[in-house]
Amino acid sequence: MRELTGKQRRHLRALGQRLSATLNVGHEGVSDAVVAQADAQLEAHELIKVRMSDTTPADRHETAEDLAARTRAHLAQVIGRTALLYRRRKEEPVIVLPAESAR
């Protein structure tokens, strides 16, 4: 899985502004149930917003990175207690990322 470029992150953040948080991480942290739910939502929508509560055991950045790693998704942004995750759908992807610039 290649790292996202800055241009691609900006594109995803722009798309994510309209989204509402559809997944909450609570006092149990990144449990298997949370990972399963995130997997299902990523397959359905490709881009999801995750809200982390005050009672989440780990730091918000650690929690977001852990969830991204366990779902094989890209972490596009962490702002406040909200994270934006992206994973391209295997079949019929909807979100088209900007191409990498030639160097």
Side-chain angles (χ1 to χ4, degrees):
M1 181 165 65
R2 271 200 309 220
E3 194 66 29
L4 294 173
T5 65
K7 188 175 188 177
Q8 291 169 335
R9 284 185 195 281
R10 281 190 299 279
H11 179 71
L12 291 173
R13 286 194 309 255
L15 293 174
Q17 284 183 330
R18 298 188 302 266
L19 298 178
S20 298
T22 56
L23 182 66
N24 290 309
V25 179
H27 69 277
E28 292 184 9
V30 182
S31 64
D32 291 339
V34 169
V35 172
Q37 186 65 33
D39 262 332
Q41 288 185 16
L42 283 164
E43 190 57 36
H45 303 290
E46 291 184 296
L47 185 67
I48 62 169
K49 239 182 210 182
V50 180
R51 171 96 10 110
M52 294 163 280
S53 73
D54 294 335
T55 60
T56 304
D59 173 69
R60 60 195 169 100
H61 290 282
E62 291 173 21
T63 301
E65 289 169 4
D66 185 27
L67 184 58
R70 290 182 64 183
T71 58
R72 299 168 322 282
H74 292 283
L75 179 60
Q77 178 182 38
V78 176
I79 187 162
R81 294 204 155 270
T82 305
L84 191 62
L85 298 179
Y86 167 75
R87 185 176 72 201
R88 181 184 164 105
R89 198 180 294 155
K90 291 177 182 75
E91 296 180 16
E92 300 179 22
V94 175
I95 296 174
V96 178
L97 294 177
E100 294 182 33
S101 58
R103 294 182 186 185

